[in-house]
Amino acid sequence: MTALTLSTAGAATLRADALVVGVAKGSKGPVLAPGAEAVDKAFDGKLATVLEALGATGAEGEVTKLPAPDGLKVPVVIAVGLGSATEKDGAYDAEALRRAAGSAARVLAGAKKAGFALPLASAGDAGAVAEGALLGAYAFTAYQGGEDKLAPKGKKNGNGPKLPLAEVALLGGKPRDKAFKAAVERATAVTEEINRARDLINTPPNDLYPESFAAVATAAGKEHGIKVQVLDEKALVKGGYGGLLGVGQGSSHGPRLVKLAYTHPKAEKTLALVGKGITYDSGGISLKPAGHNETMKCDMSGAAAVFAAVVAAARLGLQVNVTGWLALAENMPSGNATRPGDVLRMYSGKTVEVLNTDAEGRLVLADALTRASEEKPDAIVDVATLTGAMVLALGNRTFGIMANDDAFRTSIHEIADEVGEASWPMPLPADLRKGMDSPTADIANMGERMGGGLVAGLFLQEFVGEGITWAHLDIAGPAFHEGAPYGYTPKGGTGSAVRTLVGLAERTAAGDLG
């Protein structure tokens, strides 16, 4: 993990591998952002002119490297775009700062230390820059650059991966200010857990399966004072968890239901988080076509987000009880696998006719939602890479929010916007429920094809306890990024929804959700 500090050094005196400054997109060319004054002075006041000559505009995501002039102790200056120059009183949009810091951290892979002289008009700005830098510096290298036993003297395979930027020094902050220190400490805790979630999502499914995921959760629980309970196959059979067992029965790796409970002695509210944890999704008997299997290790991203959020809440000491439920299974085709047409008796007692075994996430979530409801939390939020229909509706960068309470859905949407995660509120049209009527069981796991993401939400709603406020986040689009990295978003697992869940826990702890 990249180290981060609030530095007392000035931009002109800092000794590092590089110095990062911000540049915005003005109406007449690039505009230097606050924090770049000392660097501009070293360029004789002509830094903006030099950047423009090199083709820089200040557009978001733009990175321009320049050799440092005399007067600076660094060899390289990196100018990162902040987008349109809409700052007020020297403050820029928090998400623009996150993305700029992330872009800089990515290009600095392999460096030992870099100074970030981006605008820090408030403690919130310091937190945003810290988040962006720490998320942008992420790299998953666990399976690269290992020892080659066939090579002389155990030489490593290839050249090995570039390690992330080792140290970030935030310049222009207030190291002795409690608010600044708290913002950076919060950013560090949250981003470390997001990056842990990314690691889980990126881990190959031959190494990450329900039992090994449960072991990771158990170890984290011991480290952070979180009570962890793991229900194995025998316990699931005894408890009647038909959804988890039905999905997992085709695999040699049995399913698990993991409960993580963080409690605070002064908490007045309890928040339950439920995550879909399909560690690999082949589609089961309803096998996915070629081209759709390769990234299905990411189908446990919801469980990874819930796990990360609970640990982050514990690390931050939030005055709220947060319980996480990880519904873990591997969906595989075999002679033991659930067949289309089978009927499962769920933990709730309801029966479900399985029309498509690739609609498995809702089955494991249903059991976990019912179990979570038994504890009567003040609210339940489930998170899942649930439907391709949601990707078709909202694209690859935005998750959908459904809820049985409009005000709760609005609050989650607002929180997501505040923390920099793209989301959109979606309805739960009652007329789509009829499509899941089954002549054989209480409900089918499939309904109308059109509006499939909403149908899945309606299915989940059937398993939420009466009177409990509930929301469903379908993160199928943003959970796994297959394109080139951008901002602080890497290729592969992203840790989508963690920041929103942590923000929800913080708002609940503050009593702002009513």
Side-chain angles (χ1 to χ4, degrees), residues 214 229-237 239 241 244 254-259 325-326 328 347 371:
Q229 179 186 10
V230 179
L231 298 185
D232 61 12
E233 290 165 278
K234 289 182 179 179
L236 293 173
V237 170
Y241 292 85
L244 275 157
R256 298 288 188 274
L257 179 62
V258 179
K259 174 186 176 183
W325 300 88
L326 314 182
L328 308 177
Y347 178 70
R371 178 65 187 87

Side-chain angles (χ1 to χ4, degrees), residues 261-483:
Y262 160 68
T263 57
H264 191 284
K266 296 183 180 180
E268 296 181 357
K269 298 282 187 179
T270 297
L271 182 64
L273 309 177
V274 177
K276 173 186 172 184
I278 304 299
T279 56
Y280 182 75
D281 183 20
S282 70
I285 296 297
S286 304
L287 194 66
K288 292 180 182 291
H292 291 76
N293 278 308
E294 290 77 6
T295 61
M296 281 299 101
K297 65 181 181 181
C298 78
D299 213 18
M300 36 58 67
S301 296
V306 166
F307 167 57
V310 175
V311 177
R315 292 182 60 175
L316 296 173
L318 300 182
Q319 195 170 312
V320 59
N321 297 329
V322 184
T323 303
W325 300 88
L326 314 182
L328 308 177
E330 188 176 59
N331 187 25
M332 297 291 285
S334 75
N336 295 323
T338 293
R339 297 156 290 249
D342 282 356
V343 173
L344 305 177
R345 185 170 295 277
M346 312 296 282
Y347 178 70
S348 69
K350 285 187 175 77
T351 55
V352 176
E353 182 182 10
V354 179
L355 299 181
N356 187 323
T357 64
D358 196 23
E360 84 299 328
R362 64 199 71 183
L363 298 175
V364 301
L365 286 173
D367 276 354
L369 284 167
T370 302
R371 178 65 187 87
S373 296
E374 289 182 339
E375 299 190 352
K376 305 295 183 183
D378 293 286
I380 298 176
V381 179
D382 75 72
V383 189
T385 47
L386 205 61
T387 64
M390 195 57 59
V391 185
L392 290 173
L394 299 178
N396 289 317
R397 298 190 183 185
T398 305
F399 63 76
I401 309 170
M402 286 153 264
N404 61 4
D405 180 282
D406 288 348
F408 190 52
R409 181 185 63 191
T410 298
S411 291
I412 293 176
H413 183 214
E414 290 173 350
I415 292 166
D417 185 59
E418 288 172 6
V419 302
E421 294 197 299
S423 68
W424 196 250
M426 303 292 283
L428 289 170
D431 61 287
L432 291 177
R433 169 61 182 85
K434 186 172 178 57
M436 289 184 285
D437 286 349
S438 166
T440 308
D442 295 323
I443 190 173
N445 77 327
M446 292 291 287
E448 293 182 29
R449 180 171 176 268
M450 300 301 175
L454 312 183
V455 170
L458 287 165
F459 179 92
L460 295 177
Q461 188 176 26
E462 297 273 330
F463 298 88
V464 177
E466 186 175 353
I468 297 177
T469 301
W470 159 80
H472 160 56
L473 312 185
D474 190 336
I475 61 170
F480 196 84
H481 179 57
E482 295 185 65

